[in-house]
Amino acid sequence: QVQLVESGGGLVQPGGSLRLSCAASGRVFRPNVMGWFRRAPGKERELVARITDTGSTAYAASVKGRFTISRDYAKNSVTLQMNSLKPEDTAVYYCNKEVPLMGDNYWGQGTQVTVSS
């Protein structure tokens, strides 16, 4: 069983930065993909960024150039560095880990990010 524990959300002014971290516990199966999704009020959950266990990354168009996803393979964790934050980035952010060959998909509990002056 895999558990994902997120940290780092909070309130920030427009233009500010936040860093989200997600630590995964449990056995590591490969290949796997870790990522961040978000759900804003009244909207559907959307992919923000993802990174494979070989380091390939993908970003939503709305965050490209502002957000950076990275992994620490030794610590089995993933980090999302968010810069130049906008009010429209306000959402609950969820850490995700997918193990395609096992058909497994794991979610963290979510962490609130609020961008407001």
Side-chain angles (χ1 to χ4, degrees):
Q1 187 70 14
V2 172
Q3 287 189 319
L4 304 176
V5 178
E6 301 131 335
S7 60
L11 172 66
V12 65
Q13 292 188 341
S17 298
L18 278 177
R19 177 176 292 202
L20 304 183
S21 296
C22 173
S25 63
R27 191 174 172 182
V28 177
F29 292 94
R30 293 181 187 270
N32 64 71
V33 183
M34 295 190 75
W36 292 91
F37 289 71
R38 67 186 181 188
R39 177 176 282 151
K43 295 187 177 181
E44 300 213 346
R45 185 172 60 195
E46 63 174 355
L47 172 69
V48 176
R50 62 203 313 243
I51 181 168
T52 70
D53 55 3
T54 58
S56 296
T57 59
Y59 295 90
S62 59
V63 307
K64 214 167 188 178
R66 299 188 297 121
F67 292 10
T68 302
I69 190 169
S70 59
R71 288 181 72 161
D72 185 327
Y73 298 95
K75 295 182 179 179
N76 199 12
S77 65
V78 64
T79 297
L80 185 68
Q81 177 67 42
M82 304 185 294
N83 299 328
S84 303
L85 283 160
K86 305 175 181 180
E88 51 263 43
D89 294 317
T90 295
V92 178
Y93 284 70
Y94 297 90
C95 180
N96 171 261
K97 184 170 188 177
E98 181 182 356
V99 186
L101 294 183
M102 305 287 288
D104 292 332
N105 207 356
Y106 303 96
W107 294 94
Q109 78 282 2
T111 185
Q112 177 70 45
V113 171
T114 302
V115 185
S116 174
S117 55

